[in-house]
Amino acid sequence: MRTEDLIHFCAPGRLIVGCGARGQLPALLERLGHRQGVVVTDAFFARQTPWVRELVEAAGARGVRLAVYEGGEPDPTTTLCDRATGQVRAALDGARPDHVIALGGGSNIDLAKALCLTLPEGRPVRDFLGDLAGCRPLPLIALPTTSGTGSEATPGAILVDPDNATKVAVMDNALRPQIALVDPEFTYTCPARVTADAGIDALTHAIESLVTLDSAQYDRGGSADPGYSGRSSLTMMFARESLRLCAAWLERAYADGADAQARIGMSYASLYAALSYGSAGLNAAHGIAYAIAGQTHKSHGSTNAVILPYVLDALREERFTELLEAARIFGIADADEEAAVRRLPVALRALVGRLGIPTDLRSFGIQESALDALLRDALDVTRLAKALPVADVPAAYARIIGQAWRGALAGDGGQAGG
């Protein structure tokens, strides 16, 4: 307990976790009174796995009709959402859906969240950027097939605006799923590259939310129902458990996708990280990662991974206790506590490298001449920048980006400074 906490914790209406848990969904849909739904997925899951067919048939046997949209894409755009809205409404031919089911990774779940808003009236998704304006979205059921994004427990849908290649957010607690059903068996088909990117995303969510701004200091913008509201004893509890699971199982899942125990462990790690950051929020690692993605167009997990060690290095003083705890979780046993904290970013950078991800911005494809633009773009993500618990955020961002380009950490032996 922390007496100064101002907790505003939100989670999915129902959490269902377990191998084979997907078999429970048709009966639950019937019990909740759903009769006409839309499954939002992509061509791989619709055509290369039995999951969509089995769900449609089992739901149909209980009087629940499911239309299928299989046009999901990585990093869905606002244009894709509007096109999907038109196609689904045409396929329903006047029938009104009463729920949406997302099957896939974070991209499919984000698209489904947006469709929960656009399908009822056919409005463009841009109408919902910034404020839902009282709109009540369709209930969402999220079935994640990766262990990383945590979109099944969060209030936002992230879409790409093709006009300027930036990411925009549709954000409201009403978009948290009515049901988050986490069946680790869905993740068994993930290739190693997806496993690594998703897993490091979960780890980033966990440790970033562990060290983010306190709930008592967080700027909620006057909202009575904020999507994010800073870290608290409750969110930190989930973050710690997620870190323990990531430390134990991430590399094992990457090395051997058939390791069921590792897959289950990472499913829990991803969910617990989402329950942490889904209320606490994030800060510089994600803020800078969005800017890196804008220049490189590389995967979300890898852009988080390349910058995370340098963000943690910059928080050694402000979050010493939490980083020491994380160091111990990752097996750093130095009796000298300051040395242990300095070693944590070095150890995580080494982990990133073992996952096949570049460990500095130069190797990642960022030119030195682009660093000023990268800094500006990162600071423009103000929601994340203002949550970094330092006195001078622009100076901290500049130092983080510079050291990430050079690949320099304090634990390297004094190369990084401060």
Side-chain angles (χ1 to χ4, degrees), residues 350-410:
L351 169 61
V352 169
R354 292 194 298 273
L355 294 175
I357 301 170
T359 58
D360 60 73
L361 292 180
R362 179 166 40 186
S363 302
F364 207 72
I366 299 290
Q367 301 297 315
E368 188 173 15
S369 59
L371 295 184
D372 287 344
L374 183 67
L375 174 60
R376 289 194 301 271
D377 291 345
L379 288 170
D380 281 346
V381 189
T382 55
R383 172 177 62 85
L384 298 176
K386 69 183 182 181
L388 187 67
V390 300
D392 188 340
V393 172
Y397 267 47
R399 186 167 60 254
I400 290 165
I401 289 170
Q403 292 177 189
W405 194 81
R406 296 190 301 274
L409 293 168

Side-chain angles (χ1 to χ4, degrees), residues 202-289:
L203 191 158
T204 303
H205 291 152
I207 199 164
E208 198 175 3
S209 61
L210 181 69
V211 301
T212 200
L213 201 64
D214 285 319
S215 60
Q217 300 172 322
Y218 198 92
D219 180 6
R220 304 183 182 192
S223 174
D225 188 27
Y228 300 110
S229 54
R231 70 173 190 168
S232 68
S233 54
L234 183 58
T235 65
M236 294 168 74
M237 176 182 69
F238 285 113
R240 292 186 188 99
E241 183 61 17
S242 177
L243 281 180
R244 291 188 185 96
L245 291 166
C246 287
W249 305 114
L250 174 52
E251 287 192 83
R252 277 185 55 172
Y254 173 63
D256 181 6
D259 186 334
Q261 191 172 15
R263 291 294 196 183
I264 294 168
M266 285 307 300
S267 289
Y268 276 94
S270 175
L271 176 61
Y272 291 158
L275 290 172
S276 178
Y277 95 86
S279 286
L282 301 167
N283 51 71
H286 271 70
I288 299 173

Side-chain angles (χ1 to χ4, degrees), residues 36-394:
Q36 175 67 68
V38 177
V39 178
V40 177
T41 189
D42 56 48
F44 173 79
F45 293 116
R47 302 178 189 180
Q48 303 299 319
T49 77
W51 301 328
V52 174
R53 174 183 52 78
E54 290 172 351
L55 174 59
V56 170
E57 291 177 355
R62 291 181 172 272
V64 183
R65 298 178 299 277
L66 297 178
V68 177
Y69 174 79
E70 59 177 61
E73 299 175 0
D75 297 319
T77 65
T78 55
T79 303
L80 171 64
C81 180
D82 291 343
R83 183 170 67 247
T85 301
Q87 292 172 351
V88 172
R89 284 172 60 86
L92 290 173
D93 194 26
R96 295 185 63 84
D98 53 28
H99 68 287
V100 174
I101 299 173
L103 175 68
S107 292
N108 286 353
I109 297 175
D110 280 359
L111 177 60
K113 286 180 180 177
L115 289 172
C116 286
L117 292 165
T118 62
L119 284 176
E121 298 178 7
R123 294 167 60 185
V125 70
R126 289 177 185 273
D127 285 1
F128 304 101
L129 299 182
D131 188 349
L132 297 193
C135 175
R136 302 185 67 176
L138 296 171
L140 174 67
I141 295 94
L143 283 63
T145 58
T146 61
S147 298
T149 68
S151 294
E152 71 275 7
T154 64
I158 306 299
L159 304 173
V160 174
D161 182 348
D163 291 344
N164 53 24
T166 59
K167 291 187 176 182
V168 295
V170 181
M171 191 80 62
D172 196 278
N173 283 323
L175 290 174
R176 294 182 194 266
Q178 181 188 52
I179 302 168
L181 192 152
V182 180
D183 187 335
E185 292 178 0
F186 282 139
T187 70
Y188 292 3
T189 60
C190 279
R193 181 74 272 133
V194 176
T195 299
D197 282 3
I200 205 71
D201 194 21
L203 191 158
T204 303
H205 291 152
I207 199 164
E208 198 175 3
S209 61
L210 181 69
V211 301
T212 200
L213 201 64
D214 285 319
S215 60
Q217 300 172 322
Y218 198 92
D219 180 6
R220 304 183 182 192
S223 174
D225 188 27
Y228 300 110
S229 54
R231 70 173 190 168
S232 68
S233 54
L234 183 58
T235 65
M236 294 168 74
M237 176 182 69
F238 285 113
R240 292 186 188 99
E241 183 61 17
S242 177
L243 281 180
R244 291 188 185 96
L245 291 166
C246 287
W249 305 114
L250 174 52
E251 287 192 83
R252 277 185 55 172
Y254 173 63
D256 181 6
D259 186 334
Q261 191 172 15
R263 291 294 196 183
I264 294 168
M266 285 307 300
S267 289
Y268 276 94
S270 175
L271 176 61
Y272 291 158
L275 290 172
S276 178
Y277 95 86
S279 286
L282 301 167
N283 51 71
H286 271 70
I288 299 173
Y290 287 150
I292 295 170
Q295 290 194 14
T296 65
H297 305 290
K298 293 186 178 179
S299 69
H300 177 64
S302 66
T303 55
N304 278 331
V306 72
I307 201 67
L308 177 64
Y310 305 95
V311 173
L312 299 180
D313 208 42
L315 293 175
R316 294 194 320 276
E317 293 183 7
E318 289 82 0
R319 291 293 185 259
F320 182 87
T321 300
E322 293 81 1
L323 293 179
L324 177 61
E325 185 175 10
R328 300 309 191 209
I329 289 172
F330 277 89
I332 299 172
D334 300 57
D336 182 336
E337 293 182 347
E338 291 188 359
V341 169
R342 285 195 303 272
R343 283 188 60 197
L344 175 65
V346 177
L348 292 180
R349 183 181 61 187
L351 169 61
V352 169
R354 292 194 298 273
L355 294 175
I357 301 170
T359 58
D360 60 73
L361 292 180
R362 179 166 40 186
S363 302
F364 207 72
I366 299 290
Q367 301 297 315
E368 188 173 15
S369 59
L371 295 184
D372 287 344
L374 183 67
L375 174 60
R376 289 194 301 271
D377 291 345
L379 288 170
D380 281 346
V381 189
T382 55
R383 172 177 62 85
L384 298 176
K386 69 183 182 181
L388 187 67
V390 300
D392 188 340
V393 172

